[in-house]
């Protein structure tokens, strides 16, 4: 049973992201901004921080590939960025102590890196012609705000779940 | 020893960047269909998504109904006033349809660019990162959906089918930026003006209709519909209303800014349009490099 909890959780978040966007209206609080949910990536980062590098990067690669195939149809963008940023965050948190506050800040940093990385890649392959300032105003700030709120809510349950999981792995 | 590990890491990074570029190149090239592993993954997730999305649609629909109840009274009043005109219009339409049919019979012309067969579908997913504006619908190849078909909602055209798998397909919305995605459109007026839907203004949320000849007159408020002259789209699908017209970069053409009739957000049910009129063989009419729809 324990083995299936993590894949099921990530699959659920994977689908939840698309449902969230589907029901999101164009204007929120009167602003026409683009809010991108990163539920899956936040939990992947928490997995890397609280369970371990190996787990984090493998799950990040698998779900990055899935994301690319199902939602983006250009394979490579998330397949590369998810594990790469997970690894960077893991390295960063070796310097600091891993607790709720550092994990929160690190996941915010991870999301900003992801957003900028995806923007640069899409700009490179001409999926978008939005200029950088436009990107920052239209997408970056709102996305960061949304995900900060989500991380704030989900941080404690995620930490609890992953710590329990890693303890159970150790005793096995 | 540390030197060696540093090198190993560097090599992994370099190899993964090479793989990344190769994969992106592979998926960006013009593909008539997806490779079978991709189709398999999409079908599997599509099945899970439709399992999840049906109850969610039900719950969301319930709350929407509650909201609708609030302004029922006002709506009812307005609709009642409209219904009186409707009876008149209906009689007129019937007469015109009959007339049209008779004239068509005399001419011996059976199908027109306007005729199509609708295939209803439900939205089961949407691209969360919203760079590539795409939705996933629950009908696929087995239901008769083919690549490049037009997709509409009750209020207008929203996009075209980008890829088809056995049980689901992805629809690229008009709001996606894709230079290859061109739709032949016509601005309805005293004299029809032709152009291409090409691109979307992200900040103003307006569609761009390009390649309108500079001499032709396009005014604010005119309706834009598909022309049916491309390949697979039928004639007369609503696109939107003209908001603004401006000369293009070199002053040879005009660009019309069009407010789309359909809402690109909160889409639940769509109709895929299967045009009945046969399509000319592509190699006969073009060199196959530029695709127009």
């Amino acid at each position: 049973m324990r083995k299936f909890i993590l894949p099921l959780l990530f699959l659920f978040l994977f689908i939840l992201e698309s449902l969230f966007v589907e029901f999101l209206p164009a204007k929120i609080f009167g602003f026409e901004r683009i809010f991108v949910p990163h539920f899956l990536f936040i939990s992947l980062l928490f997995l890397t921080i609280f369970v371990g590098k190996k787990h984090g990067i493998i799950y990040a690669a698998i779900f990055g590939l899935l994301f690319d195939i199902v939602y983006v149809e250009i394979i490579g963008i998330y397949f590369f960025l998810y594990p790469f940023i997970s690894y960077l965050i893991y390295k960063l948190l070796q310097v600091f102590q891993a607790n709720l506050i550092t994990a929160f800040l690190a996941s915010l940093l991870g999301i900003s890196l992801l957003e900028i990385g995806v923007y640069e890649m899409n700009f490179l392959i001409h999926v978008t012609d939005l200029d950088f300032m436009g990107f920052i105003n239209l997408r970056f700030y709102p996305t960061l705000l949304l995900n900060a709120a989500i991380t704030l809510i989900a941080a404690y349950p995620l930490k609890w779940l992953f710590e329990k999981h890693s303890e159970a792995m150790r005793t096995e | 020893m540390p030197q060696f590990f540093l090198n190993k890491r560097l090599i992994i990074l370099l190899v993964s960047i090479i793989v990344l570029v190769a994969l992106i190149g592979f998926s960006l090239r013009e593909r008539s269909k997806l490779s079978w592993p991709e189709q398999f993954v999409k079908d599997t997730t599509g099945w899970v998504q439709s399992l999840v999305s049906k109850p969610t649609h039900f719950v969301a629909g319930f709350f929407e109904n509650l909201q609708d109840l609030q302004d029922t009274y006002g709506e009812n009043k307005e609709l009642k006033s409209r219904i009186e005109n409707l009876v008149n219009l209906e009689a007129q339409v019937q007469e015109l349809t009959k007339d049209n049919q008779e004239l068509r019979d005399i001419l011996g012309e059976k199908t027109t660019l306007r005729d199509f067969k609708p295939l209803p579908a439900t939205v089961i997913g949407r691209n969360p990162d919203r760079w590539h504006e795409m939705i996933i619908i629950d009908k696929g190849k087995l239901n008769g959906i083919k690549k490049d078909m037009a997709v509409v909602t009750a209020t207008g055209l929203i996009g075209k089918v980008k890829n088809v798998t056995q049980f689901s397909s992805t629809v690229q919305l008009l709001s996606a930026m894709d230079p290859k995605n061109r739709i032949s459109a016509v601005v309805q007026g005293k004299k029809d003006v032709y152009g291409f839907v090409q691109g979307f203004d992200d900040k103003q949320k307006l569609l761009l209709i390009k390649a309108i000849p500079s001499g032709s007159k396009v005014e604010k408020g005119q309706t834009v519909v598909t022309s049916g002259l491309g390949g697979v789209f039928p004639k007369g699908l609503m696109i939107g209303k003209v908001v603004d017209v401006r000369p293009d970069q070199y002053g040879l053409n005009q660009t019309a800014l069009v407010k789309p009739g359909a809402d690109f957000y909160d889409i639940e049910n769509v109709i895929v349009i299967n045009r009945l009129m046969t399509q000319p063989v592509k190699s006969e009419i073009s060199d196959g490099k530029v695709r127009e729809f």
Side-chain angles (χ1 to χ4, degrees):
Chain A
M1 186 58 209
R2 187 154 290 284
K3 263 186 186 168
F4 296 112
I5 281 184
L6 286 190
L8 278 179
L9 170 74
F10 291 137
L11 193 67
F12 172 71
L13 292 174
F14 177 75
I15 290 168
L16 190 70
E17 275 187 10
S18 109
L19 281 176
F20 182 84
V21 172
E22 211 184 305
F23 289 109
L24 201 68
K27 280 186 187 170
I28 300 164
F29 314 124
F31 290 111
E32 280 202 32
R33 295 280 187 274
I34 295 175
F35 293 83
V36 184
H38 285 298
F39 308 142
L40 178 66
F41 190 58
I42 292 168
S43 52
L44 283 170
L45 285 179
F46 269 74
L47 178 76
T48 324
I49 294 166
F50 290 113
V51 177
K53 182 176 76 166
K54 200 181 117 197
H55 269 76
I57 287 177
I58 289 173
Y59 274 112
I62 291 171
F63 279 90
L65 183 64
L66 202 63
F67 196 96
D68 276 340
I69 291 176
V70 175
Y71 294 135
V72 186
E73 296 196 340
I74 296 171
I75 305 165
I77 299 179
Y78 288 90
F79 184 37
F80 174 73
L81 283 176
Y82 270 13
F84 183 63
I85 295 171
S86 298
Y87 180 74
L88 288 183
I89 295 296
Y90 169 76
K91 277 279 148 201
L92 186 76
L93 273 229
Q94 278 190 326
V95 182
F96 301 104
Q97 203 184 2
N99 57 33
L100 268 181
I101 295 164
T102 48
F104 172 73
L105 292 176
S107 56
L108 279 196
L109 180 71
I111 286 158
S112 355
L113 283 177
L114 180 75
E115 274 289 306
I116 292 170
V118 171
Y119 165 72
E120 288 298 340
M121 277 197 193
N122 281 326
F123 195 75
L124 218 64
I125 58 175
H126 295 291
V127 169
T128 177
D129 57 359
L130 204 63
D131 54 280
F132 192 73
M133 278 327 284
F135 156 73
I136 293 284
N137 281 325
L138 196 68
R139 307 187 63 118
F140 187 75
Y141 288 146
T143 299
L144 212 58
L145 215 64
L146 171 73
N147 287 295
I150 290 163
T151 320
L152 219 55
I153 296 166
Y156 188 72
L158 280 178
K159 179 177 178 256
W160 176 80
L161 178 74
F162 289 142
E163 277 183 341
K164 221 175 110 189
H165 185 82
S166 76
E167 241 171 64
M169 274 198 318
R170 231 173 283 136
T171 49
E172 256 169 34
Chain B
M1 212 49 183
Q3 194 74 40
F4 172 71
F5 277 114
L6 204 68
N7 279 340
K8 191 175 132 198
R9 240 176 259 154
L10 202 67
I11 287 166
I12 290 177
L13 186 66
L14 284 179
V15 168
S16 49
I17 285 175
I18 291 168
V19 171
L20 165 79
V21 171
L23 278 174
I24 288 182
F26 166 75
S27 34
L28 273 184
R29 103 199 127 91
E30 205 125 311
R31 294 192 284 180
S32 58
K33 63 175 188 177
L34 296 169
S35 60
W36 71 262
E38 281 172 277
Q39 290 203 17
F40 175 73
V41 170
K42 287 197 94 139
D43 275 336
T44 320
T45 48
W47 181 73
V48 178
Q49 275 175 327
S50 60
L51 268 189
V52 177
S53 77
K54 267 171 198 149
T56 5
H57 276 305
F58 180 75
V59 173
F62 177 73
F63 282 108
E64 229 161 78
N65 286 346
L66 279 187
Q67 234 165 24
D68 283 349
L69 267 180
Q70 285 182 338
D71 33 50
T72 313
Y73 181 73
E75 247 171 40
N76 196 4
K77 240 180 178 176
E78 204 195 313
L79 288 177
K80 259 184 193 155
S81 68
R82 271 197 218 168
I83 223 159
E84 282 161 22
N85 297 329
L86 198 69
V87 180
N88 230 335
L89 200 68
E90 218 166 69
Q92 229 170 353
V93 167
Q94 211 158 20
E95 214 166 291
L96 284 175
T97 328
K98 211 174 137 202
D99 246 21
N100 196 333
Q101 194 61 46
E102 276 171 16
L103 289 172
R104 223 173 268 294
D105 281 345
I106 294 167
L107 276 173
E109 213 179 331
K110 282 284 174 292
T111 51
T112 61
L113 284 172
R114 255 172 217 285
D115 295 335
F116 61 80
K117 205 177 116 205
L119 299 159
T122 310
V123 178
I124 54 170
R126 186 179 178 129
N127 175 3
D129 84 347
R130 288 165 85 182
W131 285 111
H132 319 254
E133 289 277 27
M134 284 193 300
I135 55 175
I136 304 169
I137 57 174
D138 67 343
K139 296 274 154 54
K141 205 184 276 170
L142 291 182
N143 305 90
I145 289 178
K146 292 194 194 79
K147 204 179 148 113
D148 292 337
M149 278 181 180
V151 181
V152 300
T153 60
T155 44
L157 184 72
I158 57 165
K160 65 162 180 134
V161 176
K162 193 181 180 210
N163 275 313
V164 196
T165 61
Q166 297 298 329
F167 306 105
S168 68
S169 29
T170 43
V171 176
Q172 187 178 41
L173 299 182
L174 286 178
S175 51
M177 201 196 97
D178 181 359
K180 284 177 291 189
N181 187 10
R182 295 209 270 171
I183 294 158
S184 176
V186 52
V187 183
Q188 287 179 328
K190 272 185 191 152
K191 211 174 154 208
D192 285 353
V193 179
Y194 291 88
F196 291 110
V197 181
Q198 205 177 2
F200 186 73
D201 191 323
D202 251 335
K203 286 172 194 158
Q204 297 180 66
K205 310 273 176 210
L206 295 173
L207 286 167
L208 305 177
I209 309 251
K210 289 184 181 168
I212 298 170
S214 63
S216 49
K217 258 195 185 157
V218 177
E219 277 162 27
K220 222 169 140 178
Q222 281 181 327
T223 312
V224 182
V225 297
T226 55
S227 73
L229 296 180
V232 282
F233 279 26
K235 192 177 173 180
L237 299 177
M238 169 81 174
I239 294 175
K241 282 209 167 11
V242 177
V243 174
D244 193 16
V245 188
R246 59 183 182 209
D248 79 346
Q249 211 176 348
Y250 306 108
L252 295 172
N253 288 323
Q254 299 179 73
T255 299
L257 294 166
V258 171
K259 189 177 189 314
D263 186 5
F264 294 135
Y265 301 93
D266 211 0
I267 307 162
E268 194 183 322
N269 293 303
V270 297
I271 298 162
V272 184
I273 301 289
N274 187 4
R275 192 173 87 168
L276 292 179
M277 195 162 206
T278 47
Q279 201 186 334
V281 181
K282 221 170 238 169
S283 58
E284 278 177 16
I285 51 169
S286 76
D287 58 359
K289 273 177 189 152
V290 180
R291 292 188 298 146
E292 286 157 11
F293 303 103

